[in-house]
Amino acid sequence: MEKKMEQSKSMHINKIAVILLSALLVFMLMLGWGLGLFADIEEEPYVNGDTDRIVVGVSQLGSESRWRTANTESVQNTFTQKNGYFLIFNNARQKQENQIKALRSFISQRVDYIVFSPVVETGWDTVLQEAKEAGIPVILMDRNVDVEDDSLYVTCVGSDFVKEGEQAGYWLEKELKKRGAADEDIHIVVLKGTEGSSSQIGRTEGFFSVAEDHDNWIVLGQEYADFTSAKGREVMEGMLRRYRDIDVVVSQNDDMTFGAIEAIRESGRTVGVDGDIIVISVDGTHDALTMVADGMINVDIECNPNQGEYVSDVIESLENGMEVEKQYYVDENVFTIDNVTKDVLSQRNY
Ligand code: AHR
């Protein structure tokens, strides 16, 4: 009898242990999922050279913004089995060292093409040399690299970031004229993207090339906010504390703009067409264009994330032995309350 009781007691303890372990396992899986640890995509195990399809290793730099999510989707919708591709996708979570690791892994797997969005411009010479020696063509997507020898990559498909920055400046020029304020002192703050990235460097250069023609444009501050909403908000809060009289915010992407607008409104000031502070943004995502239509963002300079098909066209040309250009720019537009129609909003897939 006593033995039976002991047996059932130990079975009970075992059951509890199994339940606790299962709960722990579920929790760890959910945590891993939440942290994006399982976000990389490989359709099926790939053993070097075992497929007739074109094997493309894609190193995405991260998932910091809505734009980036759309860019990833464009890649994943393009490099499909149906289209004749085998995609090996890696998300570097904003770390250059992760991208270098991914590139080396693509080289050792002998992929047919490497496609990557470099998080920053510098520091790629060695790994790209390794890819070149392995005979793997490298296609840059979205952002560019700053390397000694530009034969280390075949081409770059992306946006003209300098032009985007200039367009922000030209729009402001026109707007101030329209308001009869072309000669007044204008106090500007700039929220910059990830330090050292092509999009940050180009947009800064483009905007300041227009700003330097206007002595009355006073840039109170310019700070990096990493292309994220949280950082955009934090940096904007600091600027609002430091500078009492801000007329214009130039934000180098929509996610930082969302954070900045929250901070501005919480400080009691208003934004947009009828507001205290003019807001200039970049990207043209659906949420931001909705705010343009509502008059909260004055202008949004489009940065087109649908680059997968452009890259696939390049690969097709290379497969057919054709020459390709060193740089391809995607089509982009400038959006204000005047041209964000219902159609534009309904067609926007990101
Ligand atoms: O490099 C493109 C930029 O990176 C986009 O403007 C931004 O949203 C992204 O994070």
Side-chain angles (χ1 to χ4, degrees):
M1 175 78 167
E2 216 171 274
K3 212 174 170 192
K4 253 192 174 174
M5 271 180 69
E6 249 174 44
Q7 255 179 1
S8 101
K9 207 170 151 193
S10 92
M11 271 171 67
H12 190 63
I13 291 173
N14 280 347
K15 257 191 198 163
I16 292 178
V18 169
I19 291 169
L20 283 177
L21 273 172
S22 313
L24 187 68
L25 193 68
V26 170
F27 173 74
M28 283 171 71
L29 278 171
M30 285 173 73
L31 188 69
W33 208 247
L35 293 173
L37 297 181
F38 309 117
D40 293 352
I41 288 189
E42 277 187 44
E43 300 171 31
E44 61 198 53
Y46 163 68
V47 183
N48 297 354
D50 76 342
T51 173
D52 292 339
R53 289 184 269 149
I54 300 171
V55 182
V56 182
V58 176
S59 164
Q60 179 58 286
L61 64 89
S63 37
E64 74 286 2
S65 60
R66 286 161 176 74
W67 188 99
R68 186 67 51 202
T69 305
N71 183 246
T72 295
E73 279 170 14
S74 159
V75 164
Q76 291 173 346
N77 293 337
T78 303
F79 296 110
T80 58
Q81 187 167 345
K82 199 174 113 241
N83 292 341
Y85 290 102
F86 188 104
L87 171 65
I88 308 175
F89 182 88
N90 182 272
N91 180 336
R93 301 172 222 298
Q94 299 293 327
K95 290 209 167 79
Q96 182 172 32
E97 68 207 66
N98 290 348
Q99 287 204 283
I100 292 177
K101 250 190 233 159
L103 263 46
R104 292 212 163 108
S105 138
F106 298 155
I107 295 169
S108 73
Q109 292 181 77
R110 290 191 271 121
V111 299
D112 297 314
Y113 293 91
I114 289 176
V115 175
F116 91 114
S117 280
V119 61
V120 290
E121 287 197 344
T122 54
W124 303 104
D125 299 72
T126 309
V127 70
L128 291 187
Q129 184 62 40
E130 291 166 22
K132 188 177 176 182
E133 279 161 19
I136 302 174
V138 173
I139 298 167
L140 306 176
M141 180 184 62
D142 166 31
R143 301 182 185 173
N144 218 316
V145 292
D146 179 5
V147 283
E148 288 270 306
D149 168 10
D150 76 358
S151 77
L152 293 181
Y153 64 92
V154 179
T155 185
C156 176
V157 172
S159 306
D160 186 340
F161 296 123
V162 175
K163 186 171 163 202
E164 289 173 355
E166 285 168 353
Q167 279 172 325
Y170 295 144
W171 178 86
L172 184 59
E173 246 175 20
K174 259 176 67 191
E175 178 66 13
L176 294 175
K177 254 192 213 150
K178 208 166 85 187
R179 294 182 181 204
D183 298 320
E184 286 174 18
D185 280 357
I186 303 297
H187 300 99
I188 301 171
V189 295
V190 183
L191 300 184
K192 299 197 290 190
T194 305
E195 183 173 8
S197 64
S198 301
S199 22
Q200 173 267 308
I201 295 170
R203 288 168 190 167
T204 306
E205 183 190 324
F207 178 74
F208 279 89
S209 71
V210 180
E212 68 189 15
D213 290 339
H214 300 275
D215 294 341
N216 57 322
W217 290 16
I218 300 153
V219 178
L220 299 171
Q222 41 172 320
E223 277 180 53
Y224 300 107
D226 285 346
F227 287 128
T228 68
S229 288
K231 201 76 185 147
R233 182 190 170 100
E234 185 189 314
V235 167
M236 192 69 227
E237 280 169 354
M239 285 175 159
L240 288 161
R241 274 195 300 272
R242 272 195 304 283
Y243 315 116
R244 290 193 48 220
D245 187 15
I246 298 174
D247 302 306
V248 181
V249 175
V250 180
S251 162
Q252 290 180 347
N253 90 335
D254 284 346
D255 291 75
M256 295 189 295
T257 305
F258 300 141
I261 288 179
E262 275 172 24
I264 294 170
R265 296 177 86 188
E266 269 169 30
S267 78
R269 275 162 271 193
T270 54
V271 287
V273 176
D274 299 316
D276 307 323
I277 299 180
I278 290 175
V279 178
I280 299 177
S281 191
V282 182
D283 276 353
T285 55
H286 182 276
D287 291 353
L289 291 190
T290 306
M291 292 170 90
V292 172
D294 291 344
M296 284 171 67
I297 294 175
N298 298 70
V299 64
D300 206 341
I301 317 295
E302 184 178 29
C303 180
N304 180 357
N306 294 323
Q307 298 174 353
E309 281 190 22
Y310 287 79
V311 176
S312 155
D313 286 349
V314 167
I315 292 180
E316 206 175 295
S317 301
L318 294 171
E319 287 289 301
N320 290 321
M322 288 157 68
E323 294 268 309
V324 295
E325 318 249 320
K326 205 67 195 172
Q327 174 77 56
Y328 291 97
Y329 290 127
V330 291
D331 293 332
E332 295 178 334
N333 212 329
V334 174
F335 290 106
T336 64
I337 198 163
D338 298 325
N339 62 350
V340 180
T341 57
K342 278 195 179 130
D343 277 355
V344 168
L345 282 178
S346 67
Q347 281 158 22
R348 188 107 316 212
N349 63 347
Y350 59 94

